Amino acid sequence: MVATGEIEGILAEYNKADMSVATIGSHSALNIFKGAREEGLRTVCLCAKGKEKVYKNFGLVDEFIMLDNLSDISNQDVVDRLIELNSIVVPHGSFNAYLDQKQMNDWPVPMLGTRKLLEVETSRTKQHSWLKSSGLNVPKIYKDINDLDGGLAFVKFEGAKGGKGYFIADNEASYNKKIGMMLKSGLITKEESERPYIQEYIIGVNTYPHYFYSRLTDEIELMGVDKRYESSVDGVFRIPVPEQIGQEISPTFTIVGNFPMVLRESLLGEIFTIGEKIVKKSKKLAPPGLFGPFCLEMIIKENLDIVVFEISTRIVAGCNALIGQSPYTYLKYDEPMYMGRRIAREIKNAAIQDKLHMVSD
Ligand code: AMP
Ligand code: AMP
């Protein structure tokens, strides 16, 4: 982990009138760059060679730092340039997906978010215990498929990217059969198959609210809500049931895109309460706690109970469906507002108030 005080020392030297927002060119970078542009901040793209086409095309990047490999972000010349440009790095989903956790923790560059909490995302067990100890409804976890007391189990694997290899089972026989299918098709390895994460399958509507917690104003904002479109689970319903059975399809959950959602208004109170509980608990778990963008993955059941099964302690790609505005930001702001811009606004305000330490770790 970067030494205590190291980031604050770097921030103290920053020219607060000449700030940059930097991120890796992928995931939600366009959202982040557009927001920074609209707030008058410089944009810096850490770009893997071969990925520059999209980022050049949209014309939102002021400076490209080209990398042979993403892991080169720790090279001294890259670190020096980021600091020279007074950068705050905004982490997104590709950071945890493609970079080594230790490298992230040791990276001596100011990042938006508390590093210890950004790391929680890489462990299902840690996420589950945070959600549960915050007093939220969470899915049951089973040590063994035989512990299932009716209902369905959702079986996940630690290494599985994008939900590949996940499956649903209702007893030991169907569990063993599906494990065999996953191994045969190469979706999971033998080693992964020996460490399943067996969760209660919750039937309801998958919902992904995006929150922003400002340490400057001590306020939680609801920035928007999205739903995901996943392959093949969302495509499988186009096939009539007899053919589905014949094909023995085991749907996968590879994310393909997102669409905006608005919630029944009477659910909003609970959505805010859930966000408040998470932020409150985070302050005890890893001071100063969660701040900036975060998202909770939840399922809303038919009785309107909300079960929360995952947390992202950073901007999520679902926010890209709401670049420009969401119904909720339209209600709150008299100008276009969306996650990338809200992030930049916070960085700008922190710079103006000489409180950059409150938006970075
Ligand atoms: P990518 O750079 O597109 O490979 O994405 C990096 C990580 O973010 C992967 O773990 C993806 O599963 C996740 N991700 C990418 N796009 C989305 C999206 N639109 N919604 C949810 N997760 C996403
Ligand atoms: P994940 O990779 O954990 O985000 O999950 C992939 C997909 O499975 C998403 O569409 C989730 O909404 C869904 N999902 C995850 N956990 C559960 C659960 N316990 N019950 C029902 N669906 C779930």
Side-chain angles (χ1 to χ4, degrees):
M1 199 65 87
V2 276
T4 319
E6 190 175 342
I7 297 295
E8 281 199 39
I10 293 169
L11 293 171
E13 301 292 317
Y14 269 12
N15 177 353
K16 318 288 188 290
D18 186 34
M19 297 292 298
S20 302
V21 167
T23 197
I24 292 175
S26 68
H27 189 268
S28 45
L30 294 169
N31 190 336
I32 294 166
F33 292 144
K34 180 69 182 174
R37 267 282 166 86
E38 291 208 81
E39 290 299 305
L41 305 180
R42 188 188 300 107
T43 56
V44 181
C45 181
L46 294 156
C47 194
K49 282 201 180 123
K51 300 276 183 193
E52 59 272 36
K53 184 159 66 182
V54 170
Y55 300 95
K56 290 204 164 136
N57 182 282
F58 284 99
L60 293 168
V61 176
D62 295 316
E63 177 155 338
F64 281 92
I65 299 180
M66 298 307 297
L67 308 166
D68 289 327
N69 295 298
L70 282 187
S71 58
D72 292 347
I73 55 166
S74 300
N75 291 355
Q76 196 57 47
D77 54 336
V78 176
V79 169
D80 288 347
R81 185 64 185 146
L82 285 170
I83 291 175
E84 200 173 26
L85 290 167
N86 310 302
S87 308
I88 305 282
V89 173
V90 178
H92 53 55
S94 297
F95 284 68
N96 274 337
Y98 305 122
L99 292 167
D100 172 66
Q101 197 56 53
K102 183 167 181 327
Q103 184 181 11
M104 291 314 317
N105 287 340
D106 294 343
W107 200 26
V109 176
M111 284 172 71
L112 181 88
T114 300
R115 287 180 205 232
K116 270 194 192 140
L117 294 175
L118 288 169
E119 188 178 358
V120 166
E121 208 180 297
T122 58
S123 157
R124 286 217 177 88
T125 321
K126 283 188 191 158
Q127 286 192 44
H128 184 81
S129 103
W130 178 3
L131 300 172
K132 196 171 175 190
S133 62
S134 303
L136 307 184
N137 293 327
V138 291
K140 287 184 205 149
I141 307 294
Y142 302 107
K143 283 213 170 67
D144 191 283
I145 188 70
N146 290 309
D147 297 339
L148 193 66
D149 45 3
L152 296 169
F154 196 24
V155 186
K156 306 182 181 184
F157 299 92
E158 204 64 69
K161 286 243 162 68
K164 275 190 188 143
Y166 292 5
F167 62 81
I168 296 165
D170 59 356
N171 58 35
E172 194 183 8
S174 71
Y175 176 89
N176 288 336
K177 184 174 164 194
K178 295 261 174 83
I179 287 265
M181 280 168 66
M182 295 304 160
L183 281 169
K184 200 168 153 204
S185 58
L187 286 174
I188 56 169
T189 63
K190 180 96 181 62
E191 207 193 342
E192 282 162 356
S193 76
E194 283 155 8
R195 285 185 285 111
Y197 185 79
I198 311 176
Q199 227 178 34
E200 170 191 8
Y201 187 84
I202 311 289
I203 299 175
V205 178
N206 293 7
T207 309
Y208 303 83
H210 322 141
Y211 298 88
F212 189 94
Y213 171 59
S214 167
R215 283 178 75 202
L216 299 178
T217 62
D218 191 24
E219 193 184 19
I220 294 178
E221 295 170 44
L222 177 64
M223 301 298 295
V225 184
D226 79 284
K227 248 188 104 55
R228 295 183 177 174
Y229 208 84
E230 292 163 321
S231 191
S232 60
V233 68
D234 290 315
V236 89
F237 304 109
R238 299 168 67 102
I239 304 171
V241 170
E243 280 74 21
Q244 282 187 31
I245 293 170
Q247 290 293 311
E248 290 205 340
I249 294 168
S250 199
T252 50
F253 298 82
T254 304
I255 181 80
V256 175
N258 314 68
F259 38 94
M261 184 176 181
V262 273
L263 286 170
R264 189 170 161 169
E265 195 160 308
S266 51
L267 285 166
L268 293 182
E270 182 62 11
I271 295 290
F272 275 105
T273 304
I274 289 172
E276 283 158 17
K277 286 181 175 172
I278 282 290
V279 168
K280 190 170 170 205
K281 184 72 196 178
S282 75
K283 293 183 179 177
K284 293 211 179 77
L285 279 181
L290 186 60
F291 60 86
F294 68 101
C295 175
L296 294 168
E297 306 192 10
M298 51 181 66
I299 297 175
I300 307 182
K301 302 205 297 190
E302 61 183 348
N303 62 2
L304 300 183
D305 276 356
I306 300 179
V307 182
V308 186
F309 63 91
E310 258 182 55
I311 179 162
S312 299
T313 51
R314 46 150 178 97
I315 183 171
V316 290
C319 297
N320 299 345
L322 298 161
I323 294 174
Q325 203 143 42
S326 84
Y328 301 108
T329 57
Y330 181 79
L331 293 168
K332 197 167 172 76
Y333 288 88
D334 293 325
E335 60 189 326
M337 189 54 68
Y338 50 95
M339 196 59 96
R341 187 168 185 185
R342 184 64 191 84
I343 289 169
R345 174 76 51 97
E346 191 78 353
I347 293 172
K348 191 168 88 175
N349 287 342
I352 291 168
Q353 297 170 28
D354 201 10
K355 289 182 179 164
L356 281 176
H357 62 282
M358 290 185 83
V359 295
S360 33
D361 186 23

